[in-house]
mmCIF file of all heavy atoms in Angstrom:
data_model
loop_
_atom_site.group_PDB
_atom_site.id
_atom_site.type_symbol
_atom_site.label_atom_id
_atom_site.label_comp_id
_atom_site.label_asym_id
_atom_site.label_seq_id
_atom_site.Cartn_x
_atom_site.Cartn_y
_atom_site.Cartn_z
ATOM 1 N N GLY A 1 0.790 -1.220 0.000
ATOM 2 C CA GLY A 1 0.000 0.000 0.000
ATOM 3 C C GLY A 1 0.823 1.271 0.000
ATOM 4 O O GLY A 1 0.288 2.371 0.217
ATOM 5 N N ILE A 2 2.121 1.167 -0.236
ATOM 6 C CA ILE A 2 3.002 2.345 -0.257
ATOM 7 C C ILE A 2 2.838 3.113 -1.574
ATOM 8 O O ILE A 2 2.905 4.344 -1.603
ATOM 9 C CB ILE A 2 4.469 1.920 -0.045
ATOM 10 C CG1 ILE A 2 4.624 1.288 1.349
ATOM 11 C CG2 ILE A 2 5.419 3.100 -0.203
ATOM 12 C CD1 ILE A 2 5.983 0.665 1.573
ATOM 13 N N MET A 3 2.613 2.392 -2.672
ATOM 14 C CA MET A 3 2.403 3.014 -3.979
ATOM 15 C C MET A 3 1.120 2.465 -4.600
ATOM 16 O O MET A 3 0.847 1.271 -4.510
ATOM 17 C CB MET A 3 3.587 2.736 -4.922
ATOM 18 C CG MET A 3 4.869 3.464 -4.598
ATOM 19 S SD MET A 3 6.153 3.197 -5.864
ATOM 20 C CE MET A 3 5.615 4.321 -7.157
ATOM 21 N N ASN A 4 0.346 3.354 -5.241
ATOM 22 C CA ASN A 4 -0.812 2.894 -6.000
ATOM 23 C C ASN A 4 -0.430 2.805 -7.481
ATOM 24 O O ASN A 4 0.695 3.160 -7.872
ATOM 25 C CB ASN A 4 -2.019 3.814 -5.785
ATOM 26 C CG ASN A 4 -1.719 5.258 -6.174
ATOM 27 O OD1 ASN A 4 -0.906 5.523 -7.063
ATOM 28 N ND2 ASN A 4 -2.367 6.201 -5.504
ATOM 29 N N LYS A 5 -1.360 2.363 -8.316
ATOM 30 C CA LYS A 5 -1.052 2.165 -9.734
ATOM 31 C C LYS A 5 -0.665 3.479 -10.414
ATOM 32 O O LYS A 5 0.236 3.510 -11.258
ATOM 33 C CB LYS A 5 -2.245 1.538 -10.444
ATOM 34 C CG LYS A 5 -2.441 0.065 -10.149
ATOM 35 C CD LYS A 5 -3.579 -0.509 -10.987
ATOM 36 C CE LYS A 5 -3.785 -1.982 -10.680
ATOM 37 N NZ LYS A 5 -4.891 -2.557 -11.486
ATOM 38 N N ASP A 6 -1.358 4.556 -10.063
ATOM 39 C CA ASP A 6 -1.055 5.849 -10.692
ATOM 40 C C ASP A 6 0.387 6.265 -10.442
ATOM 41 O O ASP A 6 1.085 6.736 -11.353
ATOM 42 C CB ASP A 6 -2.002 6.929 -10.164
ATOM 43 C CG ASP A 6 -3.429 6.758 -10.696
ATOM 44 O OD1 ASP A 6 -3.588 6.054 -11.713
ATOM 45 O OD2 ASP A 6 -4.356 7.321 -10.084
ATOM 46 N N LYS A 7 0.849 6.101 -9.202
ATOM 47 C CA LYS A 7 2.223 6.465 -8.853
ATOM 48 C C LYS A 7 3.228 5.551 -9.550
ATOM 49 O O LYS A 7 4.305 5.990 -9.966
ATOM 50 C CB LYS A 7 2.413 6.410 -7.337
ATOM 51 C CG LYS A 7 1.741 7.551 -6.580
ATOM 52 C CD LYS A 7 2.400 8.880 -6.921
ATOM 53 C CE LYS A 7 1.778 10.019 -6.124
ATOM 54 N NZ LYS A 7 2.393 11.326 -6.508
ATOM 55 N N ILE A 8 2.887 4.272 -9.643
ATOM 56 C CA ILE A 8 3.778 3.317 -10.311
ATOM 57 C C ILE A 8 3.938 3.691 -11.781
ATOM 58 O O ILE A 8 5.055 3.776 -12.308
ATOM 59 C CB ILE A 8 3.239 1.875 -10.170
ATOM 60 C CG1 ILE A 8 3.389 1.397 -8.724
ATOM 61 C CG2 ILE A 8 3.983 0.927 -11.128
ATOM 62 C CD1 ILE A 8 2.730 0.065 -8.437
ATOM 63 N N PHE A 9 2.801 3.943 -12.460
ATOM 64 C CA PHE A 9 2.875 4.296 -13.883
ATOM 65 C C PHE A 9 3.547 5.654 -14.091
ATOM 66 O O PHE A 9 4.262 5.852 -15.076
ATOM 67 C CB PHE A 9 1.474 4.289 -14.499
ATOM 68 C CG PHE A 9 0.952 2.911 -14.792
ATOM 69 C CD1 PHE A 9 -0.196 2.442 -14.186
ATOM 70 C CD2 PHE A 9 1.623 2.072 -15.679
ATOM 71 C CE1 PHE A 9 -0.672 1.161 -14.451
ATOM 72 C CE2 PHE A 9 1.160 0.790 -15.954
ATOM 73 C CZ PHE A 9 0.005 0.330 -15.334
ATOM 74 N N GLU A 10 3.339 6.575 -13.159
ATOM 75 C CA GLU A 10 3.991 7.879 -13.249
ATOM 76 C C GLU A 10 5.515 7.724 -13.184
ATOM 77 O O GLU A 10 6.253 8.335 -13.954
ATOM 78 C CB GLU A 10 3.510 8.779 -12.116
ATOM 79 C CG GLU A 10 4.113 10.169 -12.121
ATOM 80 C CD GLU A 10 3.657 11.028 -10.948
ATOM 81 O OE1 GLU A 10 2.599 10.724 -10.369
ATOM 82 O OE2 GLU A 10 4.377 11.983 -10.607
ATOM 83 N N SER A 11 5.975 6.887 -12.247
ATOM 84 C CA SER A 11 7.412 6.647 -12.107
ATOM 85 C C SER A 11 7.959 5.922 -13.330
ATOM 86 O O SER A 11 9.019 6.275 -13.862
ATOM 87 C CB SER A 11 7.679 5.832 -10.840
ATOM 88 O OG SER A 11 9.055 5.543 -10.708
ATOM 89 N N PHE A 12 7.222 4.918 -13.795
ATOM 90 C CA PHE A 12 7.671 4.127 -14.946
ATOM 91 C C PHE A 12 7.719 4.980 -16.218
ATOM 92 O O PHE A 12 8.663 4.881 -17.005
ATOM 93 C CB PHE A 12 6.750 2.924 -15.142
ATOM 94 C CG PHE A 12 7.193 1.981 -16.229
ATOM 95 C CD1 PHE A 12 8.364 1.255 -16.094
ATOM 96 C CD2 PHE A 12 6.432 1.825 -17.391
ATOM 97 C CE1 PHE A 12 8.789 0.387 -17.091
ATOM 98 C CE2 PHE A 12 6.842 0.967 -18.391
ATOM 99 C CZ PHE A 12 8.020 0.243 -18.247
ATOM 100 N N GLU A 13 6.718 5.837 -16.408
ATOM 101 C CA GLU A 13 6.705 6.710 -17.582
ATOM 102 C C GLU A 13 7.858 7.701 -17.536
ATOM 103 O O GLU A 13 8.412 8.084 -18.571
ATOM 104 C CB GLU A 13 5.375 7.462 -17.663
ATOM 105 C CG GLU A 13 4.189 6.595 -18.059
ATOM 106 C CD GLU A 13 4.351 5.954 -19.425
ATOM 107 O OE1 GLU A 13 4.829 6.646 -20.353
ATOM 108 O OE2 GLU A 13 4.012 4.767 -19.575
ATOM 109 N N GLY A 14 8.227 8.100 -16.321
ATOM 110 C CA GLY A 14 9.387 8.981 -16.173
ATOM 111 C C GLY A 14 10.651 8.304 -16.664
ATOM 112 O O GLY A 14 11.492 8.917 -17.330
ATOM 113 N N TRP A 15 10.783 7.014 -16.332
ATOM 114 C CA TRP A 15 11.948 6.248 -16.808
ATOM 115 C C TRP A 15 11.918 6.132 -18.325
ATOM 116 O O TRP A 15 12.937 6.333 -19.001
ATOM 117 C CB TRP A 15 11.978 4.864 -16.170
ATOM 118 C CG TRP A 15 13.100 4.027 -16.715
ATOM 119 C CD1 TRP A 15 14.401 4.021 -16.312
ATOM 120 C CD2 TRP A 15 13.025 3.098 -17.816
ATOM 121 N NE1 TRP A 15 15.139 3.146 -17.082
ATOM 122 C CE2 TRP A 15 14.314 2.569 -18.009
ATOM 123 C CE3 TRP A 15 11.990 2.663 -18.640
ATOM 124 C CZ2 TRP A 15 14.594 1.639 -18.992
ATOM 125 C CZ3 TRP A 15 12.270 1.735 -19.625
ATOM 126 C CH2 TRP A 15 13.562 1.230 -19.798
ATOM 127 N N LYS A 16 10.761 5.821 -18.879
ATOM 128 C CA LYS A 16 10.635 5.666 -20.326
ATOM 129 C C LYS A 16 10.957 6.968 -21.060
ATOM 130 O O LYS A 16 11.508 6.953 -22.162
ATOM 131 C CB LYS A 16 9.226 5.192 -20.684
ATOM 132 C CG LYS A 16 8.961 3.737 -20.358
ATOM 133 C CD LYS A 16 7.485 3.377 -20.514
ATOM 134 C CE LYS A 16 7.022 3.508 -21.941
ATOM 135 N NZ LYS A 16 5.598 3.088 -22.086
ATOM 136 N N ALA A 17 10.614 8.092 -20.428
ATOM 137 C CA ALA A 17 10.813 9.393 -21.069
ATOM 138 C C ALA A 17 12.270 9.654 -21.381
ATOM 139 O O ALA A 17 12.599 10.287 -22.391
ATOM 140 C CB ALA A 17 10.250 10.502 -20.189
ATOM 141 N N TYR A 18 13.176 9.225 -20.490
ATOM 142 C CA TYR A 18 14.584 9.456 -20.816
ATOM 143 C C TYR A 18 15.235 8.242 -21.469
ATOM 144 O O TYR A 18 16.213 8.390 -22.207
ATOM 145 C CB TYR A 18 15.384 9.928 -19.596
ATOM 146 C CG TYR A 18 15.848 8.888 -18.628
ATOM 147 C CD1 TYR A 18 16.965 8.090 -18.895
ATOM 148 C CD2 TYR A 18 15.198 8.710 -17.422
ATOM 149 C CE1 TYR A 18 17.398 7.152 -17.982
ATOM 150 C CE2 TYR A 18 15.628 7.770 -16.509
ATOM 151 C CZ TYR A 18 16.721 6.986 -16.804
ATOM 152 O OH TYR A 18 17.153 6.051 -15.905
ATOM 153 N N ALA A 19 14.660 7.036 -21.280
ATOM 154 C CA ALA A 19 15.196 5.856 -21.957
ATOM 155 C C ALA A 19 15.000 5.964 -23.462
ATOM 156 O O ALA A 19 15.801 5.441 -24.246
ATOM 157 C CB ALA A 19 14.526 4.590 -21.422
ATOM 158 N N MET A 20 13.944 6.669 -23.882
ATOM 159 C CA MET A 20 13.654 6.806 -25.303
ATOM 160 C C MET A 20 14.694 7.662 -26.029
ATOM 161 O O MET A 20 14.731 7.682 -27.263
ATOM 162 C CB MET A 20 12.259 7.404 -25.501
ATOM 163 C CG MET A 20 12.112 8.840 -25.088
ATOM 164 S SD MET A 20 10.410 9.456 -25.277
ATOM 165 C CE MET A 20 10.228 9.386 -27.063
ATOM 166 N N HIS A 21 15.566 8.351 -25.270
ATOM 167 C CA HIS A 21 16.606 9.151 -25.898
ATOM 168 C C HIS A 21 17.845 8.323 -26.243
ATOM 169 O O HIS A 21 18.892 8.870 -26.568
ATOM 170 C CB HIS A 21 16.986 10.325 -24.992
ATOM 171 C CG HIS A 21 15.929 11.382 -24.951
ATOM 172 N ND1 HIS A 21 15.971 12.505 -25.749
ATOM 173 C CD2 HIS A 21 14.789 11.477 -24.234
ATOM 174 C CE1 HIS A 21 14.894 13.245 -25.522
ATOM 175 N NE2 HIS A 21 14.173 12.649 -24.595
ATOM 176 N N SER A 22 17.704 6.998 -26.135
ATOM 177 C CA SER A 22 18.729 6.077 -26.623
ATOM 178 C C SER A 22 18.004 4.944 -27.346
ATOM 179 O O SER A 22 16.773 4.880 -27.362
ATOM 180 C CB SER A 22 19.583 5.544 -25.463
ATOM 181 O OG SER A 22 18.772 4.888 -24.503
ATOM 182 N N ASN A 23 18.757 4.033 -27.926
ATOM 183 C CA ASN A 23 18.158 2.989 -28.758
ATOM 184 C C ASN A 23 17.566 1.875 -27.887
ATOM 185 O O ASN A 23 18.194 0.847 -27.656
ATOM 186 C CB ASN A 23 19.238 2.420 -29.698
ATOM 187 C CG ASN A 23 18.655 1.453 -30.708
ATOM 188 O OD1 ASN A 23 17.449 1.462 -30.945
ATOM 189 N ND2 ASN A 23 19.492 0.630 -31.294
ATOM 190 N N THR A 24 16.328 2.077 -27.402
ATOM 191 C CA THR A 24 15.733 1.144 -26.437
ATOM 192 C C THR A 24 14.284 0.773 -26.747
ATOM 193 O O THR A 24 13.562 0.332 -25.857
ATOM 194 C CB THR A 24 15.764 1.766 -25.029
ATOM 195 O OG1 THR A 24 15.056 3.027 -25.062
ATOM 196 C CG2 THR A 24 17.180 2.010 -24.535
ATOM 197 N N TYR A 25 13.839 0.923 -28.006
ATOM 198 C CA TYR A 25 12.420 0.713 -28.306
ATOM 199 C C TYR A 25 11.926 -0.676 -27.877
ATOM 200 O O TYR A 25 10.940 -0.797 -27.144
ATOM 201 C CB TYR A 25 12.157 0.923 -29.796
ATOM 202 C CG TYR A 25 10.713 0.656 -30.171
ATOM 203 C CD1 TYR A 25 9.718 1.602 -29.903
ATOM 204 C CD2 TYR A 25 10.348 -0.553 -30.772
ATOM 205 C CE1 TYR A 25 8.401 1.358 -30.223
ATOM 206 C CE2 TYR A 25 9.016 -0.809 -31.092
ATOM 207 C CZ TYR A 25 8.052 0.147 -30.817
ATOM 208 O OH TYR A 25 6.740 -0.110 -31.123
ATOM 209 N N LYS A 26 12.603 -1.717 -28.321
ATOM 210 C CA LYS A 26 12.165 -3.076 -27.998
ATOM 211 C C LYS A 26 12.238 -3.344 -26.500
ATOM 212 O O LYS A 26 11.372 -4.016 -25.935
ATOM 213 C CB LYS A 26 13.012 -4.102 -28.759
ATOM 214 C CG LYS A 26 12.763 -4.110 -30.254
ATOM 215 C CD LYS A 26 13.581 -5.201 -30.939
ATOM 216 C CE LYS A 26 13.297 -5.229 -32.440
ATOM 217 N NZ LYS A 26 14.093 -6.284 -33.129
ATOM 218 N N PHE A 27 13.268 -2.822 -25.854
ATOM 219 C CA PHE A 27 13.437 -3.021 -24.410
ATOM 220 C C PHE A 27 12.298 -2.351 -23.647
ATOM 221 O O PHE A 27 11.740 -2.906 -22.695
ATOM 222 C CB PHE A 27 14.794 -2.450 -23.983
ATOM 223 C CG PHE A 27 15.131 -2.662 -22.533
ATOM 224 C CD1 PHE A 27 15.130 -3.927 -21.977
ATOM 225 C CD2 PHE A 27 15.455 -1.579 -21.723
ATOM 226 C CE1 PHE A 27 15.442 -4.127 -20.643
ATOM 227 C CE2 PHE A 27 15.767 -1.763 -20.395
ATOM 228 C CZ PHE A 27 15.759 -3.038 -19.858
ATOM 229 N N ARG A 28 11.915 -1.138 -24.080
ATOM 230 C CA ARG A 28 10.823 -0.426 -23.412
ATOM 231 C C ARG A 28 9.491 -1.158 -23.577
ATOM 232 O O ARG A 28 8.700 -1.241 -22.640
ATOM 233 C CB ARG A 28 10.721 1.009 -23.963
ATOM 234 C CG ARG A 28 11.797 1.932 -23.420
ATOM 235 C CD ARG A 28 11.645 3.348 -23.954
ATOM 236 N NE ARG A 28 12.183 3.488 -25.289
ATOM 237 C CZ ARG A 28 11.516 3.973 -26.319
ATOM 238 N NH1 ARG A 28 10.252 4.337 -26.178
ATOM 239 N NH2 ARG A 28 12.088 4.096 -27.508
ATOM 240 N N GLN A 29 9.263 -1.714 -24.757
ATOM 241 C CA GLN A 29 8.038 -2.471 -24.991
ATOM 242 C C GLN A 29 7.975 -3.717 -24.111
ATOM 243 O O GLN A 29 6.930 -4.053 -23.535
ATOM 244 C CB GLN A 29 7.950 -2.885 -26.464
ATOM 245 C CG GLN A 29 7.686 -1.738 -27.421
ATOM 246 C CD GLN A 29 6.318 -1.116 -27.185
ATOM 247 O OE1 GLN A 29 6.207 -0.010 -26.670
ATOM 248 N NE2 GLN A 29 5.266 -1.827 -27.526
ATOM 249 N N LYS A 30 9.092 -4.389 -24.002
ATOM 250 C CA LYS A 30 9.180 -5.602 -23.188
ATOM 251 C C LYS A 30 8.875 -5.295 -21.721
ATOM 252 O O LYS A 30 8.130 -6.036 -21.059
ATOM 253 C CB LYS A 30 10.578 -6.209 -23.331
ATOM 254 C CG LYS A 30 10.798 -7.481 -22.510
ATOM 255 C CD LYS A 30 12.216 -7.994 -22.709
ATOM 256 C CE LYS A 30 12.462 -9.240 -21.848
ATOM 257 N NZ LYS A 30 13.859 -9.750 -22.025
ATOM 258 N N LEU A 31 9.424 -4.207 -21.206
ATOM 259 C CA LEU A 31 9.223 -3.862 -19.802
ATOM 260 C C LEU A 31 7.797 -3.362 -19.528
ATOM 261 O O LEU A 31 7.250 -3.610 -18.454
ATOM 262 C CB LEU A 31 10.234 -2.795 -19.372
ATOM 263 C CG LEU A 31 11.679 -3.278 -19.251
ATOM 264 C CD1 LEU A 31 12.584 -2.125 -18.857
ATOM 265 C CD2 LEU A 31 11.804 -4.396 -18.238
ATOM 266 N N THR A 32 7.222 -2.674 -20.499
ATOM 267 C CA THR A 32 5.826 -2.244 -20.341
ATOM 268 C C THR A 32 4.908 -3.446 -20.200
ATOM 269 O O THR A 32 4.017 -3.472 -19.333
ATOM 270 C CB THR A 32 5.385 -1.391 -21.557
ATOM 271 O OG1 THR A 32 6.221 -0.233 -21.642
ATOM 272 C CG2 THR A 32 3.935 -0.957 -21.406
ATOM 273 N N ASN A 33 5.138 -4.448 -21.025
ATOM 274 C CA ASN A 33 4.343 -5.681 -20.934
ATOM 275 C C ASN A 33 4.565 -6.389 -19.607
ATOM 276 O O ASN A 33 3.623 -6.912 -18.993
ATOM 277 C CB ASN A 33 4.690 -6.624 -22.093
ATOM 278 C CG ASN A 33 4.274 -6.063 -23.444
ATOM 279 O OD1 ASN A 33 3.353 -5.248 -23.527
ATOM 280 N ND2 ASN A 33 4.947 -6.486 -24.504
ATOM 281 N N LYS A 34 5.809 -6.385 -19.136
ATOM 282 C CA LYS A 34 6.143 -7.037 -17.862
ATOM 283 C C LYS A 34 5.437 -6.343 -16.696
ATOM 284 O O LYS A 34 4.889 -6.998 -15.802
ATOM 285 C CB LYS A 34 7.659 -7.013 -17.644
ATOM 286 C CG LYS A 34 8.125 -7.583 -16.296
ATOM 287 C CD LYS A 34 9.643 -7.489 -16.172
ATOM 288 C CE LYS A 34 10.109 -7.902 -14.788
ATOM 289 N NZ LYS A 34 9.850 -9.321 -14.522
ATOM 290 N N LEU A 35 5.434 -5.007 -16.712
ATOM 291 C CA LEU A 35 4.787 -4.253 -15.643
ATOM 292 C C LEU A 35 3.286 -4.513 -15.610
ATOM 293 O O LEU A 35 2.708 -4.767 -14.539
ATOM 294 C CB LEU A 35 5.059 -2.758 -15.818
ATOM 295 C CG LEU A 35 4.385 -1.817 -14.811
ATOM 296 C CD1 LEU A 35 4.826 -2.130 -13.386
ATOM 297 C CD2 LEU A 35 4.691 -0.361 -15.147
ATOM 298 N N ASN A 36 2.633 -4.458 -16.764
ATOM 299 C CA ASN A 36 1.186 -4.683 -16.828
ATOM 300 C C ASN A 36 0.825 -6.088 -16.375
ATOM 301 O O ASN A 36 -0.149 -6.290 -15.634
ATOM 302 C CB ASN A 36 0.678 -4.455 -18.254
ATOM 303 C CG ASN A 36 0.664 -2.983 -18.638
ATOM 304 O OD1 ASN A 36 0.406 -2.129 -17.804
ATOM 305 N ND2 ASN A 36 0.945 -2.685 -19.900
ATOM 306 N N LYS A 37 1.615 -7.063 -16.776
ATOM 307 C CA LYS A 37 1.363 -8.452 -16.391
ATOM 308 C C LYS A 37 1.551 -8.650 -14.893
ATOM 309 O O LYS A 37 0.756 -9.333 -14.237
ATOM 310 C CB LYS A 37 2.304 -9.383 -17.158
ATOM 311 C CG LYS A 37 2.049 -10.872 -16.907
ATOM 312 C CD LYS A 37 2.967 -11.728 -17.756
ATOM 313 C CE LYS A 37 2.713 -13.214 -17.502
ATOM 314 N NZ LYS A 37 3.610 -14.067 -18.339
ATOM 315 N N SER A 38 2.582 -8.013 -14.327
ATOM 316 C CA SER A 38 2.856 -8.143 -12.894
ATOM 317 C C SER A 38 1.721 -7.549 -12.063
ATOM 318 O O SER A 38 1.297 -8.129 -11.057
ATOM 319 C CB SER A 38 4.178 -7.448 -12.546
ATOM 320 O OG SER A 38 5.267 -8.057 -13.198
ATOM 321 N N LEU A 39 1.219 -6.374 -12.471
ATOM 322 C CA LEU A 39 0.111 -5.740 -11.753
ATOM 323 C C LEU A 39 -1.157 -6.589 -11.812
ATOM 324 O O LEU A 39 -1.877 -6.724 -10.815
ATOM 325 C CB LEU A 39 -0.165 -4.355 -12.333
ATOM 326 C CG LEU A 39 0.841 -3.260 -11.954
ATOM 327 C CD1 LEU A 39 0.623 -2.015 -12.805
ATOM 328 C CD2 LEU A 39 0.760 -2.913 -10.480
ATOM 329 N N LYS A 40 -1.424 -7.197 -12.960
ATOM 330 C CA LYS A 40 -2.600 -8.059 -13.100
ATOM 331 C C LYS A 40 -2.489 -9.278 -12.189
ATOM 332 O O LYS A 40 -3.476 -9.698 -11.563
ATOM 333 C CB LYS A 40 -2.755 -8.500 -14.556
ATOM 334 C CG LYS A 40 -3.257 -7.411 -15.481
ATOM 335 C CD LYS A 40 -3.410 -7.921 -16.908
ATOM 336 C CE LYS A 40 -3.915 -6.815 -17.835
ATOM 337 N NZ LYS A 40 -4.054 -7.292 -19.237
ATOM 338 N N ASN A 41 -1.285 -9.831 -12.105
ATOM 339 C CA ASN A 41 -1.074 -11.013 -11.249
ATOM 340 C C ASN A 41 -1.286 -10.667 -9.779
ATOM 341 O O ASN A 41 -1.874 -11.449 -9.023
ATOM 342 C CB ASN A 41 0.321 -11.582 -11.466
ATOM 343 C CG ASN A 41 0.462 -12.276 -12.799
ATOM 344 O OD1 ASN A 41 -0.529 -12.702 -13.401
ATOM 345 N ND2 ASN A 41 1.694 -12.415 -13.288
ATOM 346 N N VAL A 42 -0.784 -9.482 -9.347
ATOM 347 C CA VAL A 42 -0.961 -9.057 -7.959
ATOM 348 C C VAL A 42 -2.442 -8.861 -7.661
ATOM 349 O O VAL A 42 -2.941 -9.289 -6.621
ATOM 350 C CB VAL A 42 -0.185 -7.756 -7.677
ATOM 351 C CG1 VAL A 42 -0.555 -7.199 -6.295
ATOM 352 C CG2 VAL A 42 1.324 -8.017 -7.744
ATOM 353 N N ASP A 43 -3.157 -8.195 -8.555
ATOM 354 C CA ASP A 43 -4.590 -7.964 -8.368
ATOM 355 C C ASP A 43 -5.363 -9.281 -8.312
ATOM 356 O O ASP A 43 -6.300 -9.436 -7.512
ATOM 357 C CB ASP A 43 -5.148 -7.089 -9.500
ATOM 358 C CG ASP A 43 -4.711 -5.642 -9.393
ATOM 359 O OD1 ASP A 43 -4.306 -5.232 -8.283
ATOM 360 O OD2 ASP A 43 -4.747 -4.919 -10.409
#
């Protein structure tokens, strides 16, 4: 209960915002899928 989904996605989008300034398209897609799947499993 320390972080809700909004805060998690806000933090993750912050990471993606600067990761996109290097060659990381496939890596970012992979991690987005991992995050969504992990949240669904917890729920």
Side-chain angles (χ1 to χ4, degrees):
I2 297 172
M3 288 186 78
N4 58 30
K5 285 185 181 180
D6 288 341
K7 287 294 183 182
I8 289 172
F9 283 119
E10 181 182 339
S11 178
F12 185 66
E13 288 300 318
W15 176 84
K16 286 170 64 177
Y18 81 78
M20 69 183 294
H21 287 264
S22 58
N23 187 19
T24 58
Y25 177 78
K26 291 183 178 180
F27 183 55
R28 284 182 280 126
Q29 290 295 108
K30 179 181 178 180
L31 289 178
T32 300
N33 294 335
K34 176 181 174 66
L35 177 60
N36 287 325
K37 184 177 180 180
S38 297
L39 285 169
K40 286 181 180 179
N41 288 338
V42 171
D43 287 340

